[in-house]
């Protein structure tokens, strides 16, 4: 029968997953059958998609692509791999969105932030002690390389302004607004809706404190503006930004990006 | 007129900047669409809104 093994079509007489492994890739100890990791042997059917890997080893680019494709389905992988996503701001929202999109296998990320990693960031932003003092753009490039070495990252260590926003994010299929201050959020929304009309914009607003998780939602507003958050919980004294709700909102934003790329929004 | 799907009766045409203020929005924390088109921020004062218009206002709060 014909199956796909690590991205390539193969003809095999093997009747099961482990027979296929022993026949063509002995020694591989991770088996993924049709997107799901198989702990025990399974019968094979015509057209199955198999990935065989080795624990603790970085697969080649082609093998990783095939693994992502098997994990996420060829349709999702094909759509995200060919896409370009912008992230304005690499704080609590942006650093977590960037990691999620790199794990998803988005082909190219355009990220912008002017700041450095500081100790107050560690409660919610996706950086480590080893990054303290580094430009957030440099730290993000390092972290994303560690998550998915084959994602291209274009980093801009500048303050995004009405004058440069359209230039930085021109060519993106979707842009995420991930700034901290309300006026900067509005500045970017206005600059991009005017400068890059037709490019969907995913914004975050209302994610401070420890209010009900389920009040954080994604709403499509206007033509192409998606607003994630509870819309109300501003950061301020007595209502700090904490990892759980920041990550919930970042997850909303990353999934909004995925849904836009998949054409369901 | 309609604001974010809610009806608001106007006694006559009013500047968009006045409507924003009346609804409790800060002009530097919003994005506004009128009848499906984005209104540039510099035009809030000179944009006249009347009963037939439809406004979509997104207000932002801080934190990210």
């Amino acid at each position: 029968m014909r199956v796909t093994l690590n991205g390539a079509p193969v003809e095999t007489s093997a009747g099961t997953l482990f027979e296929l492994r022993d026949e063509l890739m002995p020694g591989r100890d991770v088996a993924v059958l049709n997107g799901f990791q198989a702990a025990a042997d399974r019968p094979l059917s015509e057209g199955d998609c198999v990935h065989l890997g080795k624990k603790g080893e970085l697969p080649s680019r082609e093998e990783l692509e095939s693994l992502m494709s098997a994990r996420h389905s060829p349709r999702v992988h094909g759509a995200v791999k060919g896409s370009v996503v912008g992230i304005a701001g690499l704080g609590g929202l942006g650093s977590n969105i960037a990691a999620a999109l790199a794990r998803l296998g988005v082909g190219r990320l355009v990220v912008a932030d002017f700041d450095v990693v500081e100790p107050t960031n560690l409660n919610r932003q996706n950086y480590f002690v080893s990054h303290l003092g580094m430009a957030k753009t440099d730290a993000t490039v390092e972290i994303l390389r560690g998550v998915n070495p084959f994602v291209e990252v274009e980093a801009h260590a500048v303050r995004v302004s009405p004058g440069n926003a359209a230039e930085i994010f021109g060519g993106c299929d979707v842009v995420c607004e991930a700034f901290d201050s309300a006026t900067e959020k509005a500045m970017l929304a206005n600059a991009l809706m005017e400068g890059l009309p037709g490019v969907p914009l995913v914004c975050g607003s209302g994610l401070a404190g420890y209010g009900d998780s389920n009040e954080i939602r994604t709403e499509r507003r206007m033509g192409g503006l998606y607003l994630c958050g509870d819309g109300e919980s501003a950061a301020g004294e007595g209502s700090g930004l904490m990892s759980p709700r920041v990550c919930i909102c970042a997850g909303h934003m990353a999934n909004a990006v995925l849904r836009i790329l998949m054409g369901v929004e | 007129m309609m604001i974010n799907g809610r009806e608001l009766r106007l006694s006559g045409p009013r500047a968009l900047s006045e409507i924003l203020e009346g609804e409790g929005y800060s002009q530097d924390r919003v994005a506004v669409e009128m009848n499906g088109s984005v209104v540039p921020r510099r035009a809030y004062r000179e944009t006249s809104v009347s009963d037939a218009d439809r406004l979509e206002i997104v207000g932002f709060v801080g934190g990210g």
Side-chain angles (χ1 to χ4, degrees):
Chain A
M1 80 180 97
R2 276 179 87 75
V3 299
T4 303
L5 175 60
N6 290 15
V10 294
E11 187 73 39
T12 179
S13 57
T16 72
L17 185 60
F18 289 0
E19 283 173 27
L20 178 75
R21 176 194 63 194
D22 295 343
E23 179 189 328
L24 294 173
M25 292 189 166
R28 299 285 175 123
D29 54 6
V30 178
V32 178
L33 175 60
N34 298 325
F36 195 71
Q37 192 156 345
D41 201 7
R42 307 288 294 271
L44 282 181
S45 308
E46 181 75 25
D48 275 347
C49 183
V50 176
H51 180 88
L52 295 171
K54 184 109 181 98
K55 276 184 189 167
E57 271 183 20
L58 176 65
S60 68
R61 184 186 187 118
E62 292 70 29
E63 283 191 336
L64 188 72
E65 294 253 326
S66 112
L67 178 57
M68 303 271 274
S69 180
R71 269 284 182 187
H72 295 158
S73 86
R75 211 166 69 84
V76 169
H77 182 67
V80 299
K81 184 188 148 192
S83 66
V84 183
V85 178
I87 304 174
L90 292 171
L93 291 174
S95 63
N96 284 299
I97 293 167
L101 296 181
R103 289 189 195 284
L104 191 58
V106 167
R108 184 172 173 80
L109 295 173
V110 178
V111 302
D113 198 296
F114 66 90
D115 215 349
V116 298
V117 181
E118 52 156 310
T120 60
N121 299 151
L122 295 176
N123 79 324
R124 68 190 189 284
Q125 305 189 13
N126 191 35
Y127 301 110
F128 312 133
V129 169
S130 59
H131 296 123
L132 292 175
M134 266 175 95
K136 286 186 178 176
T137 43
D138 291 341
T140 296
V141 167
E142 186 183 296
I143 286 169
L144 298 187
R145 289 258 153 76
V147 165
N148 181 340
F150 306 118
V151 169
E152 280 180 51
V153 185
E154 178 186 318
H156 297 261
V158 296
R159 186 184 278 274
V160 179
S161 70
N164 64 15
E167 193 183 329
I168 291 173
F169 296 109
C172 291
D173 300 302
V174 192
V175 178
C176 295
E177 174 285 307
F179 289 142
D180 192 34
S181 95
T183 53
E184 294 284 290
K185 287 170 182 291
M187 176 279 291
L188 187 79
N190 281 283
L192 292 186
M193 286 195 300
E194 277 193 67
L196 297 176
V199 176
L201 179 64
V202 179
C203 301
S205 181
L207 45 119
Y210 50 89
D212 190 341
S213 305
N214 297 328
E215 284 172 9
I216 291 180
R217 59 196 177 271
T218 302
E219 278 181 353
R220 185 174 184 171
R221 302 285 304 270
M222 308 182 166
L225 190 150
Y226 297 77
L227 197 61
C228 301
D230 66 18
E232 291 176 1
S233 302
E237 279 180 35
S239 177
L241 292 162
M242 288 175 271
S243 179
R245 279 187 120 226
V246 170
C247 288
I248 290 168
C249 192
H252 267 258
M253 293 175 74
N255 196 45
V257 168
L258 177 56
R259 288 172 58 79
I260 290 165
L261 296 177
M262 293 309 296
V264 293
E265 286 286 356
Chain B
M1 64 157 306
M2 302 293 282
I3 296 185
N4 294 348
R6 174 174 57 84
E7 205 177 272
L8 181 74
R9 288 207 174 276
L10 296 180
S11 49
R14 283 172 66 194
L16 173 57
S17 53
E18 283 176 41
I19 297 206
L20 289 172
E21 197 179 327
E23 291 290 308
Y25 290 104
S26 275
Q27 286 187 38
D28 60 351
R29 297 178 179 207
V30 292
V32 182
E33 214 178 53
M34 185 157 104
N35 305 323
S37 302
V38 179
V39 184
R41 308 176 91 172
R42 58 187 176 278
Y44 288 171
R45 201 172 287 276
E46 71 219 33
T47 299
S48 173
V49 183
S50 62
D51 259 342
D53 289 321
R54 213 164 21 84
L55 283 182
E56 188 71 21
I57 305 168
V58 171
F60 293 95
V61 301

